Amino acid sequence: DAALVQSARVFLGEDAAGSSGRQLLSGGPVPSGTNAVSVPLDTPRGNSTHMLVYLSSSLAEQSTPSFATISDVSATVASVAFPDDDLDAGQLGGFVAWAPPAENVQVTAYRVHLAIDVSGSSSLSVGSVPV
């Protein structure tokens, strides 16, 4: 029952069971209602393969954590091109093209977004292409 949760602790671990786990946030547990935490840049990964979350109530801490497998990869496309074939004002249409990254072994899809600036503000998904 989510109403009984008082806090959560976030760990890095070497497997889904939390082997060799080390607490990620030095400030201790995060309060109930917190559903996201920021991992500081340049946090050493070590041999960790999983992000683990242990929930606590007034009675006990969860013995089996919820987890996610860490994917510590990045890939960027180049030479993005979009010739707008829709000649109507305020409307877009046409094909988006790009050069794939040199290392794309971990890439599973390319997702195309329309945004109002290069930072991705007000991003709108317009398509996805599986690899």
Side-chain angles (χ1 to χ4, degrees):
D1 186 357
L4 299 176
V5 174
Q6 291 184 331
S7 65
R9 292 191 310 145
V10 182
F11 286 76
L12 292 173
E14 293 183 7
D15 56 30
S19 297
S20 300
R22 62 185 168 96
Q23 192 162 347
L24 186 61
L25 304 172
S26 60
V30 294
S32 175
T34 303
N35 64 353
V37 296
S38 177
V39 177
L41 294 176
D42 300 323
T43 297
R45 177 177 173 179
N47 293 326
S48 299
T49 58
H50 289 75
M51 188 77 59
L52 308 142
V53 177
Y54 292 85
L55 299 178
S56 295
S57 72
S58 61
L59 302 174
E61 181 173 83
Q62 185 178 12
S63 59
T64 304
S66 298
F67 67 90
T69 304
I70 297 172
S71 176
D72 191 15
V73 295
S74 177
T76 303
V77 299
S79 304
V80 177
F82 175 69
D84 183 8
D85 295 331
D86 188 323
L87 302 179
D88 295 330
Q91 296 180 351
L92 301 171
F95 289 97
V96 179
W98 59 86
E103 290 290 325
N104 66 352
V105 176
Q106 300 278 341
V107 176
T108 59
Y110 296 102
R111 292 182 178 84
V112 180
H113 292 257
L114 183 63
I116 62 172
D117 59 31
V118 296
S119 298
S121 299
S122 300
S123 176
L124 173 69
S125 176
V126 294
S128 180
V129 179
V131 175

